[in-house]
Amino acid sequence: WYLHNEVVVAAPRKFGITRILRYKTTVQNTQEFYDTRAKQFAPFFAFDSAKCTAPDCGSTWESYGFVVGCQNLNRSLANYVRDYEEPQVQPAETEIDSEIAFRKLRGVAAIPSSMPTDPTTDGLHSGIWYSLPGACPSETFGDKSDDCMKTMPGGHCEVVD
């Protein structure tokens, strides 16, 4: 969602981005957070120019460390549904012109009855937006001092178990 709506919508691209890299990462929040909240992820925190702009960033990080947050995207606003497989039925029942199917998925026409539509029961996943606090997340890119980056390393781990 962020790339489609914030980065690639204009030229030059936001923050001078010229390449988009994809990384596979493993994250683990602190034991303090899990012991208190019994959740794998913290609430999502918004960042602007690498600075956390949510009201509770500092207090959360003081209590639990630099935890990773997440939020599910609303499928009515960001329909990045994956894992959908057409039910195995007779070909006559599944013949839907691709242009019509595309329009139906975008809300231009009625959605086919074979297409799941209820996010609470259909087993499909919308996109997930993660917040990953980097070094000195209380300051913007240009304002990160060496001292701040040393005292607030963000989610960087020197040793990984």
Side-chain angles (χ1 to χ4, degrees):
W1 187 92
Y2 182 82
L3 293 175
H4 290 153
N5 292 277
E6 297 282 336
V7 176
V8 298
V9 294
R13 292 184 176 156
K14 191 172 187 175
F15 301 123
I17 293 173
T18 58
R19 291 180 178 85
I20 298 170
L21 303 174
R22 182 177 169 172
Y23 292 95
K24 183 175 183 177
T25 62
T26 301
V27 298
Q28 181 177 351
N29 277 329
T30 62
Q31 189 65 45
E32 294 84 4
F33 181 80
Y34 186 80
D35 289 345
T36 305
R37 303 280 183 99
K39 294 182 178 183
Q40 293 297 326
F41 290 98
F44 175 82
F45 290 122
F47 285 81
D48 190 19
S49 298
K51 177 181 179 178
C52 184
T53 56
D56 297 330
C57 300
S59 62
T60 298
W61 295 330
E62 286 174 20
S63 299
Y64 308 113
F66 297 99
V67 291
V68 175
C70 75
Q71 72 177 358
N72 290 314
L73 296 175
N74 183 332
R75 280 181 32 191
S76 65
L77 301 175
N79 195 19
Y80 295 99
V81 177
R82 60 184 190 272
D83 301 334
Y84 177 72
E85 292 182 18
E86 187 71 33
Q88 299 298 320
V89 294
Q90 298 298 321
E93 295 178 33
T94 61
E95 290 177 5
I96 300 174
D97 179 77
S98 62
E99 176 63 25
I100 293 172
F102 178 80
R103 293 180 67 227
K104 288 180 179 181
L105 288 174
R106 298 301 177 260
V108 178
I111 295 176
S113 60
S114 64
M115 178 67 74
T117 58
D118 183 355
T120 61
T121 61
D122 63 20
L124 301 179
H125 307 280
S126 63
I128 300 172
W129 198 348
Y130 295 96
S131 54
L132 304 158
C136 191
S138 61
E139 301 295 334
T140 60
F141 283 123
D143 296 329
K144 295 178 186 285
S145 68
D146 289 340
D147 184 50
C148 181
M149 291 177 60
K150 210 179 274 186
T151 58
M152 297 183 78
H156 176 77
C157 301
E158 291 291 334
V159 178
V160 179
D161 297 348

